[in-house]
Amino acid sequence: MQASKRLTEKVTWVGKVDWELEMFHGEELSTARGSSYNSYLIRDEKVVLIDTVWLPYDKEFVRNLKDEIDLQEIDYIIVQHAEIDHSGALPELMREIPDTPIYCTNNGKKIIQGHHHQDWNFVTVKTGDTLNIGKSTLTFVEAPMLHWPDTMFTYMSGENILFSNDAFGQHYATETLYNDKADNCELYEEALKYYANILTPFSALVKRKIEEVLALELPLNMICTSHGVIWRDNPAQIVEKYLEWADNYQENQITIVYDTMWNSTRLMAEAIAYGIQAEDPSVTVKLYNVGKQDKNDIVTEIFKSKAILAGSATINGRYLSGMGGLLEMIRGMRFKNKKAAVFGSYGWSGEGNKLLAQDFAGAGFEIITEGYRTLWVPDNDELIACQEFGREFVRSL
Ligand code: FEO
């Protein structure tokens, strides 16, 4: 069955579009629009395979690859990143062509071995190393932490393609393959969600790596990522976006995240939102119930925000567990240059707010006010006070 897609005379997409994927990284990352695992076959005087696909699709991948080429014709395999969504089909493939050299970074070799426990024919490469494959040359660029220590890019001269692996990718299933064929609103939503949830902790490295690659002044016709679309229409657009996102990106947005037991904290959140908007109509205000709504979407909104308000009822001397889960994710993101305040209702001693403020401060947020607490259910006066708290919060930014 035909499953591959020809990109250029020399380069063919041989990956897998996963329309069903709902969660990635176990249950950590929601993928509401599916994903793809992009693998590429290069035919020059030598034949090269770049990356494979996720483990559940290994047999399908190798079967389709056999329809595209006699596997014995593959001279080199390049593994740009050992994470299982890209190296998952290696064992199935290597059973067929066990001696084929695998080009990867030194970390890549260790991590591939750590996953697959095989001593394949590894050739380790570092930045600037090249592989002549005929008319084109492949140049390797190590890109550690984009998104694992082993990651590297591969640049193909002649075709002027940057194979970027995870960088510039999105969890976005599309049959049409290219950025100019995709719904660009959806595409950018997914590209931003991907950056915010996966690459934020490594922003300093992202910026440095992009500047290093741009300094090479390589001609660029396409960026072939390992997830989502291939950037062929103005591929520099996503590079420019990454430079923006990596530079402590923020919009004129305040996100209110709250967790609530009997709706008191929700009522406070809505009154605070009203106060913010009344004080400064230019600010985008968004509200999320962290106990109910998608945590990765919330992380994306926090990524875009200049400030957040975090609210929780107090329970058992703590804040609610939905907020606890979100905070754990946020700690890992290492956000910078964001302000915050806390609020919430309580009935007994009300320690939750204080702990929440401490933990957001520990996650790198600047706590700019004392916060606001309401005993039991807020009445009309309390809700007016919450509106005023929202107004004051905006004024103090
Ligand atoms: Fe798509 Fe870091 O793996």
Side-chain angles (χ1 to χ4, degrees), residues 59-72:
K59 290 186 174 53
E60 183 178 328
F61 170 75
V62 171
R63 197 166 58 238
N64 288 340
L65 196 57
K66 281 181 180 172
D67 287 341
E68 179 63 30
I69 194 167
D70 176 351
L71 298 184
Q72 304 303 323

Side-chain angles (χ1 to χ4, degrees), residues 24-25 81 83 85-86 147-148 165-166 171 194 226-227:
F24 189 81
H25 283 163
H81 175 28
E83 196 165 7
D85 52 327
H86 307 299
H147 127 257
W148 272 12
N165 198 263
D166 284 335
H171 288 305
Y194 187 98
S226 62
H227 297 291

Side-chain angles (χ1 to χ4, degrees), residues 277-296:
Q277 185 68 25
E279 182 67 23
D280 185 353
S282 72
V283 179
T284 300
V285 186
K286 294 190 183 177
L287 281 79
Y288 289 90
N289 180 328
V290 299
K292 287 185 180 177
Q293 289 171 289
D294 186 304
K295 287 196 177 57
N296 303 110

Side-chain angles (χ1 to χ4, degrees), residues 275 279 368-369 385 387-397:
E279 182 67 23
I368 59 167
T369 76
Q387 289 182 355
E388 186 51 36
F389 174 67
R391 285 176 180 273
E392 277 176 25
F393 183 73
V394 173
R395 286 197 293 267
S396 59
L397 288 177

